[in-house]
Amino acid sequence: MSRLFGTDGVRGLANGPVITAELALDLSIAAAHVLGEPDRRHGRRPRAVVGRDPRASGEFLSAAVCAGLASAGVDVHNVGVLPTPAVAYLTADMGATFGVMLSASHNAMPDNGIKFFAEGGHKLPDRVEDEIAERMGQEWERPVGAEVGRIHENRAGQARYVAHLLRTLPNRLDGLTVVIDGAHGAASAVSPEVFRLAGADVVEIGTDPDGLNINDGYGSTHLDRLRAAVIERGAHLGIAHDGDADRCLAVDHTGTEVDGDQIMGILALALKDRGALTHDTLVATVMSNLGLLQAMERHGISVVQTGVGDRYVLEEMRRSGHSLGGEQSGHVIMLDHGTTGDGVLTGLMLAARVAETGRPLAELATVMTRLPQVLVNVKGVDTSRVDGDAGVQEAVREATSVLDGSGRVLLRKSGTEPVVRVMVEAGTHDEAEDTATRLAAVVKERLAL
């Protein structure tokens, strides 16, 4: 059977076959038993922080989660609509036993999801997620009377999170005009507030959530409105979040996109200049552009690469003690200030670098030159054979040899879709596209179902 948990919690169509009120109730009860057990062994009452993004379905799902936790003897602090990294931060800051976030991130409004944070605000390892899934539906002893959990509506979380973000800033943002695109999501209130308190002149778009419009034409997956607003208002830069604000993309004053690789490059140099880049090392995934690796090498910064997914970046950072890591998609983790990707923090740090140096974002982004990158998704194939098929691997070796160090080839099966992803970087777009097309044809032929 497939795992209940995916790469980022349990996610799917809200009120559909998976993400139901019943699932939310059962899953929260199982989580209360697994994650709350250490507290109960020591005679303490478990406590949980519960937050959500503004999706309409989050209203009934959070009610079910809170009910399930309280019925299992967990005291709940319901912090309402806040970004995912805020829930992670508050889980640690409030000394809670664990945290729960209801969000489907950048997915369209009909979807929703449930993810958990362990004590300290850290993501759960696979084995703990599997233990929670296994506990669902099992018999359990129900607390009664004073032993049932209590639900507290805690609306002080936003102020605590904003204060935390302001404490991380190395310098103020006075003199900057910044356009914030909140994706009508969880950062719609927080991000404009903290940028204003940091000294920026803020223009808001996508900050009027109604429960139905999250990610609808706004946010990090829809940058056109942000580009237009930055140019129209003569802003220094624009910041785009996704629905739960754990990622950040940007545009410079000309409306040109600044992606996660460029953001990581800019922040790596900023931290290195301040002596705060641990081991002078950046952690990135294998999908990061080769141009980032080349740029970091020129500046004396090592790059450690991981599998695709911010959880793998985070695992490597925690294992080796590195302070900065992330993904091309805009998930950036600054481990000195947070336990997970934080789009608001990332945007603040990027703006702070612009203010500190007096250099426009467009200039800072030239730290790296992006090699043309082409990604082809090959459907209708046996993804399990991609690493073991001799013909496919020989085609990869031949393509890599032809590129001769001026590019690279990456084949991998997707963790979220039944496809093989063929990624090629080369000196020109035509060369990358031709190579990717040839490799995709080999994959289609060799791995056909």
Side-chain angles (χ1 to χ4, degrees):
M1 294 181 61
S2 60
R3 292 185 75 233
L4 174 65
F5 286 85
T7 55
D8 201 18
V10 184
R11 189 179 297 184
L13 178 65
N15 227 23
V18 178
I19 306 299
T20 63
E22 295 88 344
L23 173 94
L25 186 71
D26 293 345
L27 190 61
S28 60
I29 291 170
H33 293 147
V34 173
L35 301 176
E37 180 58 29
D39 272 359
R40 281 189 290 270
R41 280 202 307 265
H42 291 89
R44 297 189 297 264
R45 194 172 175 117
R47 294 190 303 137
V49 173
V50 177
R52 66 179 181 90
D53 72 22
R55 293 165 208 265
S57 59
E59 297 170 3
F60 78 79
L61 289 171
S62 64
V65 166
C66 291
L69 295 176
S71 74
V74 177
D75 285 339
V76 177
H77 291 269
N78 184 5
V79 297
V81 175
L82 280 178
T84 289
V87 172
Y89 169 74
L90 292 170
T91 299
D93 189 55
M94 296 171 63
T97 312
F98 60 95
V100 189
M101 179 67 186
L102 294 108
S103 175
S105 188
H106 60 280
N107 288 26
M109 181 278 295
D111 288 351
N112 215 324
I114 306 170
K115 54 187 167 186
F116 296 92
F117 292 101
E119 186 175 17
H122 299 287
K123 289 191 174 184
L124 302 184
D126 288 349
R127 61 174 178 79
V128 177
E129 291 180 337
D130 290 340
E131 186 178 353
I132 291 172
E134 290 170 6
R135 289 290 291 272
M136 292 176 65
Q138 293 184 8
E139 291 293 325
W140 55 288
E141 185 177 345
R142 299 171 184 272
V144 296
E147 297 304 311
V148 301
R150 306 298 297 273
I151 301 175
H152 309 278
E153 300 298 323
N154 187 330
R155 294 299 178 261
Q158 178 170 321
R160 293 175 76 151
Y161 176 58
V162 166
H164 156 68
L165 291 172
L166 291 171
R167 287 193 298 269
T168 69
L169 276 177
N171 53 271
R172 287 183 56 79
L173 310 183
D174 300 280
L176 290 187
T177 299
V178 182
V179 180
I180 302 293
D181 181 349
H184 294 307
S188 293
V190 169
S191 192
E193 177 186 3
V194 73
F195 271 84
R196 286 192 178 99
L197 290 172
D201 180 15
V202 175
V203 177
E204 298 183 38
I205 66 171
T207 57
D208 189 21
D210 61 10
L212 306 177
N213 59 0
I214 189 169
N215 299 319
D216 186 8
Y218 288 86
S220 58
T221 55
H222 306 279
L223 295 178
D224 286 347
R225 285 187 170 96
L226 181 62
R227 291 188 180 98
V230 166
I231 294 170
E232 178 185 348
R233 299 299 292 266
H236 294 87
L237 69 154
I239 299 294
H241 302 301
D242 59 340
D244 70 337
D246 65 350
R247 71 172 72 181
C248 162
L249 293 180
V251 299
D252 65 25
H253 71 284
T254 71
T256 301
E257 178 183 348
V258 178
D259 71 10
D261 283 343
Q262 292 167 298
I263 292 171
M264 286 191 290
I266 293 167
L267 297 185
L269 293 188
L271 290 175
K272 188 172 189 287
D273 286 350
R274 294 197 294 271
L277 184 65
T278 308
H279 308 137
D280 284 345
T281 297
L282 169 68
V283 181
T285 77
V286 292
M287 291 298 289
S288 277
N289 195 279
L290 181 60
L292 175 63
L293 279 62
Q294 295 170 339
M296 294 298 94
E297 183 179 10
R298 289 194 297 271
H299 289 277
I301 296 173
S302 301
V303 179
V304 174
Q305 291 188 278
T306 73
V308 177
D310 64 318
R311 68 184 304 160
Y312 303 114
V313 173
L314 183 56
E315 285 173 5
E316 175 61 27
M317 292 176 69
R318 293 182 65 189
R319 186 184 68 81
S320 302
H322 301 309
S323 55
L324 179 66
E327 295 187 285
Q328 189 181 64
S329 62
H331 283 112
V332 177
I333 304 166
M334 305 188 76
L335 209 52
D336 289 341
H337 306 302
T339 59
T340 189
D342 190 331
V344 183
L345 173 65
T346 301
L348 283 170
M349 290 296 185
L350 189 64
R353 184 61 167 174
V354 173
E356 175 191 21
T357 61
R359 298 165 61 194
L361 180 57
E363 182 182 336
L364 294 176
T366 61
V367 62
M368 63 168 281
T369 300
R370 282 186 289 190
L371 270 68
Q373 187 179 81
V374 173
L375 179 66
V376 178
N377 293 323
V378 185
K379 301 178 181 179
V381 295
D382 183 355
T383 61
S384 66
R385 293 194 288 120
V386 65
D387 294 326
D389 186 87
V392 169
Q393 295 307 314
E394 177 59 28
V396 170
R397 284 191 292 271
E398 289 180 2
T400 302
S401 176
V402 170
L403 293 173
D404 192 27
S406 64
R408 65 183 179 121
V409 173
L410 176 67
L411 261 67
R412 67 178 186 90
K413 62 179 180 180
S414 169
T416 58
E417 300 176 82
V419 300
V420 170
R421 303 199 195 281
V422 179
M423 190 274 284
V424 177
E425 290 170 345
T428 67
H429 182 273
D430 286 347
E431 185 180 14
E433 188 169 48
D434 289 346
T435 304
T437 300
R438 288 198 306 273
L439 282 174
V442 173
V443 170
K444 187 73 173 177
E445 177 185 354
R446 296 283 304 185
L447 306 184
L449 291 173

